[in-house]
Amino acid sequence: MGKEEVNKRTLTMSVARLSGDRRAGFMEENGDVLQEFKVCFFAMSRISSFPWTILEKELEHNKSSERISDILKQTCLHPLCQKHPPSVKYRRLFLSELIRRHEAADPAEPLDELYDALGEVLGAAEGTECYKSYLLPCGEAVSLQESVALISEGTTGLVTWEAALYLAEWALDNPQVFTGRTVLELGSGVGLTGITVCRSCRPFRFVFSDCHPSVLQTLEKNVRLNRLTEQTAPAVCVEELDWTAATEERLREIRANTVIAADVVYDPDVIGSLVTLLSKILRCSSPEVLREVLICSTIRNPGTYSCFKQQLEKAGISHVVMSGPVSHVFPYNRVSAIEMIKLYM
């Protein structure tokens, strides 16, 4: 083989390798875009937060409807959507936007399944409840029944709030805080944080708690929906826990090693009872049961949050801010200030 022939062969192999690398990168990027559409759709993220710009650029160079079809299969036509669908209104808005982007790209052929999906949604009745599903790193989903309204039946506990998502992400980064332990969650709401801990952090036992009857009913449904029972590992239970009536004796019976709460500092009227409860929990600590108490809050009103910290200080409760990066797993608005603190006496 001559030198010129060898050089040609080397060049051909290099080009082929480069093409393969580009193809692999293209496939990886497309896979990421599809995953982002899927994650945003099932969590019912704002329609404007989807990666539409990336999709537009791709459609400019490829008039095929294949990419739109792939997105449809990962969202409205996905088995998870058939089982635990986002709200009717949300699916209608999403499909309308997807059709608008598809038509703006002047596709080579129409996509009947896209219009069929919209037709099906337009004929569906909107209910008062819907499902949000949050995809875990392991590939499984935490599906939750939630209210379509932010405030329903006199409570804000029927939807998932930012601090609950942040605390769930922190738990995924720090499973050792929960592994093999009995965990008590205060103000569990619809259950996102607790179910994530149960599915990913291997606690010994998990106690969900709340006090509003409608929240407790939805919480029990969501715990069962995610295949968690007293007979599973971890063993779980849902308990009514009135912050004003909980006794130290009852708290000792729970024998929690770790106590968590998210978005419970939102109303000045409940701060006093919350601090009293936290004081009881910390006083119940013993050499056998050393409690780790973590409170995660979205600071919507700095005055309310400052009042909470002042009341902690008056009760003899110290705190340290848990700083450091947290992996972004779930889609939600990260503009609001979120702070997590560890309490001790």
Side-chain angles (χ1 to χ4, degrees):
M1 185 181 296
K3 183 176 181 181
E4 184 178 347
E5 190 175 347
V6 171
N7 288 340
K8 283 183 178 179
R9 184 179 179 186
T10 302
L11 178 61
T12 302
M13 290 173 66
S14 299
V15 171
R17 189 179 300 112
L18 179 60
S19 300
D21 290 344
R22 285 176 176 169
R23 191 181 302 113
F26 176 76
M27 293 298 291
E28 183 178 350
E29 181 179 329
N30 281 346
D32 289 345
V33 170
L34 281 178
Q35 182 68 9
E36 192 170 346
F37 266 96
K38 182 179 179 181
V39 166
C40 290
F41 175 79
F42 284 110
M44 288 180 59
S45 300
R46 289 174 295 109
I47 298 297
S48 60
S49 69
F50 284 73
W52 299 111
T53 303
I54 297 175
L55 177 63
E56 278 184 354
K57 288 180 180 178
E58 183 179 341
L59 294 178
E60 285 176 6
H61 298 94
N62 183 1
K63 300 298 182 181
S64 168
S65 298
E66 182 179 353
R67 174 54 61 207
I68 299 294
S69 179
D70 288 342
I71 292 172
L72 197 57
K73 289 172 183 174
Q74 291 297 318
T75 54
C76 292
L77 300 186
H78 193 278
L80 183 59
C81 188
Q82 312 307 310
K83 190 176 182 181
H84 303 308
S87 73
V88 171
K89 179 181 179 181
Y90 185 82
R91 283 179 283 153
R92 185 181 74 243
L93 290 172
F94 171 75
L95 286 167
S96 298
E97 184 65 19
L98 194 60
I99 287 173
R100 188 179 77 81
R101 304 281 178 160
H102 180 54
E103 291 179 343
D106 191 22
E109 71 277 348
L111 189 59
D112 291 340
E113 58 184 342
L114 184 56
Y115 298 94
D116 290 344
L118 180 61
E120 184 178 336
V121 171
L122 290 174
E126 181 69 272
T128 58
E129 296 162 338
C130 63
Y131 291 94
K132 288 184 182 179
S133 296
Y134 298 92
L135 305 184
L136 299 174
C138 64
E140 295 183 357
V142 173
S143 294
L144 305 170
Q145 179 181 299
E146 296 191 7
S147 170
V148 295
L150 288 180
I151 299 177
S152 176
E153 300 187 45
T155 178
T156 57
L158 293 171
V159 295
T160 298
W161 296 94
E162 289 93 341
L165 290 157
Y166 181 93
L167 181 53
E169 291 177 329
W170 187 89
L172 291 170
D173 283 347
N174 299 274
Q176 72 282 356
V177 174
F178 307 94
T179 301
R181 293 185 163 208
T182 294
V183 183
L184 167 63
E185 182 179 22
L186 307 175
S188 297
V190 293
L192 182 276
T193 302
I195 294 170
T196 299
V197 169
C198 289
R199 297 281 286 274
S200 301
C201 302
R202 295 182 291 114
F204 172 71
R205 181 168 170 259
F206 197 99
V207 180
F208 296 85
S209 75
D210 217 291
C211 65
H212 195 285
S214 295
V215 175
L216 285 167
Q217 186 177 17
T218 299
L219 180 57
E220 288 176 345
K221 287 181 183 177
N222 285 335
V223 168
R224 291 195 302 269
L225 186 70
N226 288 274
R227 303 182 303 280
L228 296 171
T229 69
E230 290 186 9
Q231 286 73 44
T232 59
V236 305
C237 63
V238 176
E239 293 197 8
E240 181 178 359
L241 188 66
D242 186 335
W243 295 352
T244 61
T247 64
E248 289 190 24
E249 181 182 3
R250 179 69 193 103
L251 295 170
R252 285 194 186 95
E253 288 174 356
I254 295 174
R255 296 183 64 82
N257 309 98
T258 301
V259 179
I260 60 173
D263 261 329
V264 292
V265 185
Y266 58 89
D267 183 351
D269 292 338
V270 303
I271 288 177
S273 56
L274 173 60
V275 171
T276 299
L277 176 65
L278 293 171
S279 181
K280 290 177 183 177
I281 288 171
L282 288 165
R283 283 201 305 267
C284 287
S285 292
S286 65
E288 296 79 25
V289 184
L290 292 172
R291 289 189 170 88
E292 192 155 15
V293 182
L294 302 166
I295 309 295
C296 188
S297 305
T298 304
I299 307 175
R300 298 181 183 86
N301 186 324
T304 300
Y305 193 62
S306 176
C307 177
F308 169 61
K309 287 190 171 182
Q310 289 170 11
Q311 296 248 16
L312 288 175
E313 187 176 353
K314 286 181 182 179
I317 301 174
S318 301
H319 74 273
V320 60
V321 177
M322 307 291 285
S323 57
V326 173
S327 299
H328 290 187
V329 177
F330 307 118
Y332 60 94
N333 182 6
R334 300 173 193 273
V335 174
S336 301
I338 296 176
E339 183 175 272
M340 189 158 76
I341 59 177
K342 182 177 179 178
L343 308 183
Y344 60 94
M345 292 185 91

